[in-house]
Amino acid sequence: MFDLNKSGSSVMNKQERLSRQQSFEREAMLHLDALLKAANRIARPRLDAEDVVQETYLRAWKHFDSFEAGTNCRAWLFRIMFNVIKARSGTLAKRIETPIGEEIELENRPSNVLFFDPLKKIEGQEALSAATRLSPEHREVLWLVVVEEFSYREVAEILEAPVGTVMSRLHRARRELRRLLITDSKVVSGVRL
Amino acid sequence: MNCGETKDLIQLYLDNELDARSTLSMQQHLDSCSGCSRQLNILLFQDQALKQAARGEIIDSSRVRAGILSAIAQETQAETPHQTTNWLPTHWFKMAAWPRIAAAAAFVLIAAFLALRGGWMPGVNETVYAAVAADHAAHCSADAMMGAVNDPDELRQLIRASAKVDALPDLSAFGYGNPQGRVCKVGDAEFLHLVYYRNSQPPLSLFLRHHGSTLITEQLTALHSGNFNVVSVSQGGVDLLVVSSLTEDQTSSITRALASRLLQ
Ligand SMILES: [Zn+2]
Ligand SMILES: [Zn+2]
């Protein structure tokens, strides 16, 4: 399903090329909005989201023969897109992950820090803008699981990371998102105990 | 299931990753434990807010759609589907099989050699020499670099971001051009891998990496094995390795020229 090494066929008659084009438009173009939305939130501000998506589709087109019909085309496209993002952004800077033990235990905060009703309705726009402020590796995993509803295994394939890594990043991403939402609510409401 | 187990599994439950049996016992616990069900609701509300906002967002994809479709249509019209690689001499494609074999040999030889000598450079350990030779062979064809950055401005950005070097290395004096770049995992480290091409010659690779060390290894270190020479230098907090099929002298003079211009 994810074999990117197999190259597109070189000799094709015009009829074959047209029908290949049609099935590409039918199967792959369907997911354009999903990819563009994800790129908008994940690739930016470092990369141009439209550029990333366009290159993703041109690569997908070139390798469309290696995509197995009937398998998950959306996952295939996302995987290509993350390859493009990775190739384009300098990911050399060592990524720092908070060791689990050092996480702030939200439930055990000193009571005078701030007031936040954890069950109050979270505004979608707040959540979206907070998610965009997460570190790239947190927002990508959160996006793929929560918004795109990929399984852990699919996300692991898309990001080329072990499932365990996906799970721990996701855990941290959700905590970090929650921390941002609490901080935001402090700014907005100014309510303190 | 108790509260501790629930805490461990709550994320998997939320994401539908639990098997049927665990799901059932999780539900039973949640029904009887207000603490855990509150925890679940916190996560659930947060996820739902994000999902609904993201999915409800309206974006305009018409421009990128038009761009993709016209590029595809153009290609479908054309006789050869893969125009992007046409500038490469066809000659190179006939040679494309050798680098992999050479890489395997290079890896073994260099690894053995380095096991005897140990590492020299602050940022580079012995496995890196072997790994860059192997990576060069795996990535130096234009097909393997597909999706790599080749726009000069973007390349400059990539080099600045990843290696903290402020210029695009220029090898035109040596006849090499059309650089493509990508970030490659080499052994345990990530390097910026730039490939330069020259008509009817095997390509040449530069590997750049920023590191924190202030140690300087100004003299070049050269390694030869089978088909490749790897010459490295570490200066100004940057490791630079040049991998080529040229002679050791030629590879060294390229490395020296680059180091004097780039790594101050
Ligand atoms: Zn409980
Ligand atoms: Zn490479």
Side-chain angles (χ1 to χ4, degrees), chain A residues 4 79-80 82-83 86 154-162 166:
Chain A
L4 294 182
R79 180 165 186 192
I80 297 175
F82 277 94
N83 279 329
K86 208 169 152 195
E154 286 171 320
V155 174
E157 285 193 28
I158 290 168
L159 298 177
E160 296 178 48
V166 168

Side-chain angles (χ1 to χ4, degrees), chain A residues 56-67:
Chain A
T56 299
Y57 270 91
L58 296 184
R59 282 171 77 168
W61 165 246
K62 189 173 174 186
H63 293 274
F64 193 49
D65 297 335
S66 72
F67 167 70

